[in-house]
């Protein structure tokens, strides 16, 4: 078996002791970390590929817990508008106008951006066409948890999106049977629920049952606006989290996304049931309000980071979200001591893995785990000097500092170059497909400046 050895780096393991190792060689064999050997005694074997990473920092690959591959080609179509306009007038028409080959191109663009920013695993909140999306991820070499974004009720849905609750579950079970565990286990299939505006009580109950039966997870946008809370209280008899408690969806396999508008009792309910929270600071600020996460963390809710979509955030960069997470919470709480760099780094790595129920395999650099890692080059003007490396990773690092990305023991980016995907060809296809989908969707953007 071919081995890859990374020497002379500072290794930020994110293991249970949060050890930072120097003078160790990280050895990868096949898809796993095979050793963290003392440098003084380690001897390479013939055929070993050796990366001398002197002056570099090795981290676990980032885990992006909330993304939308289907919205990547819609970047720039939903700016400066409120949430309902974004959904009903921009994102829904765009996504519903996608053909299978558009999904493929959208997935490739998304994945290229993830690899470039050091993300090796992501959870998608709902895809359009499964086969080309899975194909794209298989070619890209990253790890993903997919679902369909189920809609069975409510207003504002494109034609063809409103399936019955039973049809929605059957479609997902079929995809689970086909894709769960594909690509050497890099692909997992989950159940998706779009929002309570478009999900009936019945589909929520059936989803809870099916996900438990198949031992998989559920991805859902929740408590995104005061309007959603009011709608749930008026039309469904309880606020969002209380409603889900009643319907049996709260559990350790639920990834609840956003949750800006939850009261303390609802956060207690989430903690009690082991629900995980995906915090997406950029999308939250842009569309929903000021996200709080400290009350969740104080109650022991696993909180992780997500970028959300090209349409709702525009930057799908985990380094950007890390930076924003710490600044936002410091400002919102009026306390510069909250959300430390080490907490944010946990959210982006091991807690992301915990949120996805994947921490037995990823999220930290430990012998036996999957070899998902990034090599950071801090030798640039924006990261020097390096008095406090962990702080610099959160407060200073930019996407360009991610020099190498590895997933499943395979280099996906080397020295900033992604070699296994034809990036220029993908960018040409993006130009073509993004325009075609927009034309079919009929979305008209107001001109911002004359001639723009
Ligand atoms: Zn989302």
């Amino acid at each position: 078996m071919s081995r890859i050895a990374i020497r002379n780096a500072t290794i930020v393991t994110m293991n249970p002791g949060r050890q930072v190792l120097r003078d160790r060689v990280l050895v990868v064999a096949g898809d796993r970390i095979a050793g963290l050997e003392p440098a003084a005694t380690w001897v390479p074997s013939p055929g070993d590929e050796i990366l001398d990473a002197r002056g570099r920092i090795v981290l676990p690959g980032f885990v992006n817990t909330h993304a939308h591959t289907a919205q990547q080609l819609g970047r720039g179509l939903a700016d400066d508008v409120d949430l309902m306009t974004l959904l009903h007038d921009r994102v829904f028409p765009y996504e519903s106008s996608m053909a299978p080959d558009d999904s493929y191109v959208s997935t490739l663009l998304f994945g290229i951006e993830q690899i470039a920013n050091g993300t090796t695993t992501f959870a998608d909140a709902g895809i359009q066409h499964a086969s080309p999306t899975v194909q794209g991820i298989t070619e890209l070499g990253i790890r993903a948890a997919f679902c369909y974004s189920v809609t069975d009720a409510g207003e504002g849905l494109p034609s063809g999106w409103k399936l019955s609750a039973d049809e929605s579950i059957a479609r997902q079970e079929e995809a689970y049977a086909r894709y769960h565990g594909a690509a050497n286990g890099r692909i997992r299939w989950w159940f998706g629920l779009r929002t309570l505006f478009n999900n009936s009580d019945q589909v929520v109950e059936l989803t809870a049952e099916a996900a438990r039966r198949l031992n998989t997870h559920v991805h859902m946008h929740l408590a995104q606006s005061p309007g959603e809370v009011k709608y749930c209280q008026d039309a469904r008899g309880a606020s969002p989290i209380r409603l889900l408690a009643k319907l049996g969806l709260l559990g350790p396999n639920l990834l609840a996304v956003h949750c800006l508008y939850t009261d303390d009792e609802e956060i207690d309910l989430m903690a009690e049931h082991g629900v995980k929270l995906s915090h997406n600071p950029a999308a939250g600020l842009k569309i929903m309000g000021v996200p709080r996460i400290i009350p969740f963390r104080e109650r022991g809710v696993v909180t992780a980071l997500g970028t959300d979509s090209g349409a709702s955030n525009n930057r799908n960069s985990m380094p950007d979200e890390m930076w924003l997470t710490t600044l936002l919470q410091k400002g919102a709480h009026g306390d510069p001591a909250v959300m430390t760099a080490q907490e944010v780094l946990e959210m982006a790595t091991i807690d992301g893995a915990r949120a996805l129920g994947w921490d037995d395999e990823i999220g930290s650099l430990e012998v036996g785990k999957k070899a998902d890692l990034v090599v950071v080059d801090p030798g640039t003007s924006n990261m020097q000097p390096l008095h406090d490396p962990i702080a610099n990773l959160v407060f200073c690092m930019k996407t360009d500092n991610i020099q190498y990305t590895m997933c499943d023991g395979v280099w996906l980016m080397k020295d900033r170059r992604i070699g296994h995907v034809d990036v220029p060809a993908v960018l040409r296809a993006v130009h073509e497909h993004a325009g075609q989908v927009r034309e079919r969707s009929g979305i008209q953007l107001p001109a911002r400046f004359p001639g723009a």
Side-chain angles (χ1 to χ4, degrees):
M1 187 184 291
S2 68
R3 301 199 311 173
I4 299 170
I6 304 173
R7 308 180 78 163
N8 299 320
T10 298
I11 302 169
V12 179
T13 64
M14 304 308 288
N15 68 12
R18 302 292 186 260
Q19 282 175 294
V20 176
L21 305 174
R22 296 181 177 84
D23 304 323
R24 297 289 183 106
V25 180
L26 189 150
V27 182
V28 174
D31 58 2
R32 303 218 176 234
I33 298 170
L36 286 160
E37 310 288 345
T41 54
W42 182 76
V43 182
S45 302
D48 283 354
E49 176 190 335
I50 296 175
L51 174 68
D52 184 351
R54 190 172 297 279
R56 316 292 206 284
I57 300 168
V58 178
L59 293 173
F62 299 127
V63 180
N64 179 353
T65 59
H66 180 64
H68 296 259
T69 52
Q71 290 176 29
Q72 189 76 3
L73 296 184
R75 172 148 58 197
L77 283 183
D79 300 325
D80 304 323
V81 296
D82 64 80
L83 180 62
M84 295 324 271
T85 306
L86 177 143
L87 292 175
H88 291 167
D89 299 345
R90 309 289 174 86
V91 165
F92 287 0
Y94 198 85
E95 283 189 25
S96 62
S97 301
M98 293 176 87
D101 54 347
D102 304 315
S103 283
Y104 176 66
V105 173
S106 200
T107 301
L108 290 180
L109 180 65
F110 175 82
I112 289 166
E113 190 176 20
Q114 296 307 294
I115 293 167
N117 74 43
T119 296
T120 49
T121 300
F122 70 96
D124 194 309
I127 63 176
Q128 287 305 314
H129 301 283
S131 170
T133 305
V134 167
Q135 176 67 28
I137 292 303
T138 304
E139 290 171 20
L140 286 157
I142 56 178
R143 203 178 292 285
F146 287 120
C147 59
Y148 288 124
S149 191
V150 162
T151 48
D152 73 315
E155 306 297 316
L157 295 174
S159 64
W161 270 25
K162 203 184 271 189
L163 301 182
S164 73
D166 286 331
E167 284 168 337
S168 303
I169 300 298
R171 183 169 178 247
Q172 293 179 97
E173 288 197 14
E174 196 184 303
Y176 176 91
R178 184 173 300 181
Y179 301 116
H180 190 71
N184 193 35
R186 284 191 286 110
I187 289 170
R188 291 186 175 181
W189 194 272
W190 288 19
F191 283 75
L193 291 166
R194 188 116 200 178
T195 76
L196 281 167
F197 283 121
N198 294 115
N199 293 133
S200 67
D201 287 0
Q202 192 199 359
V203 87
V204 173
E205 285 176 331
L206 290 174
T207 298
E209 186 281 316
R212 276 190 199 116
R213 176 164 39 83
L214 295 175
N215 195 23
T216 190
H217 294 245
V218 181
H219 198 145
M220 184 175 197
H221 298 100
L222 265 172
Q224 295 184 95
S225 66
E228 182 184 336
V229 176
K230 189 174 176 339
Y231 157 74
C232 285
Q233 280 165 340
D234 293 352
R236 316 276 285 268
S239 61
I241 305 297
R242 289 182 184 86
L243 176 60
L244 295 189
K246 225 167 64 182
L247 299 173
L249 188 70
L250 299 189
N253 66 339
L254 174 63
L255 179 68
V257 181
H258 302 310
C259 297
L260 272 72
Y261 299 94
T262 43
D263 60 37
D264 287 352
E265 205 181 285
E266 288 183 298
I267 302 173
D268 286 338
L269 271 175
M270 290 172 67
E272 207 177 287
H273 287 88
V275 174
K276 314 299 193 297
L277 174 71
S278 175
H279 169 60
N280 297 244
L285 284 172
K286 191 177 171 213
I287 310 156
M288 297 164 231
V290 180
R292 310 179 299 157
I293 49 170
I294 288 169
F296 294 85
R297 296 174 61 78
E298 283 172 349
R299 288 164 173 81
V301 175
V302 172
T303 48
L305 289 184
T307 60
D308 215 333
S309 76
S312 62
N313 167 10
N314 312 60
R315 301 171 181 230
N316 282 313
S317 164
M318 288 291 284
D320 288 357
E321 297 299 299
M322 286 163 63
W323 177 68
L324 195 52
T325 296
T326 181
L327 296 197
L328 168 58
Q329 297 305 320
K330 289 177 194 310
H333 288 266
D335 182 357
V338 301
M339 280 319 293
T340 60
Q342 58 272 33
E343 287 177 283
V344 174
L345 201 56
E346 287 170 349
M347 288 178 75
T349 56
I350 186 65
D351 286 349
R354 290 169 70 202
L356 304 191
W358 221 327
D359 51 313
D360 57 332
E361 292 204 306
I362 60 169
S364 59
L365 303 176
E366 296 178 68
V367 174
K369 277 196 164 183
K370 293 280 192 177
D372 289 11
L373 56 85
V374 296
V375 180
V376 175
D377 176 10
T380 54
S381 58
N382 61 299
M383 278 192 81
Q384 288 292 317
L386 214 57
H387 296 299
D388 186 344
I390 301 295
N392 280 24
L393 288 169
V394 173
F395 291 107
C396 312
M397 181 171 69
K398 294 183 179 173
T399 289
D400 285 354
N401 292 105
I402 311 288
Q403 195 180 14
Y404 292 78
T405 302
M406 173 187 284
C407 183
D408 224 29
V410 177
W411 289 120
L412 304 184
M413 182 171 73
K414 279 176 130 174
D415 217 1
R416 296 291 305 155
R417 191 178 167 273
I418 297 171
H420 63 300
V421 179
D422 186 345
V423 177
V426 172
L427 292 173
R428 284 194 297 276
V430 164
H431 181 70
E432 193 184 310
H433 286 258
Q436 289 168 354
V437 181
R438 184 178 158 192
E439 215 172 283
R440 286 200 295 273
S441 71
I443 297 168
Q444 299 287 339
L445 293 182
R448 292 180 182 271
F449 289 123

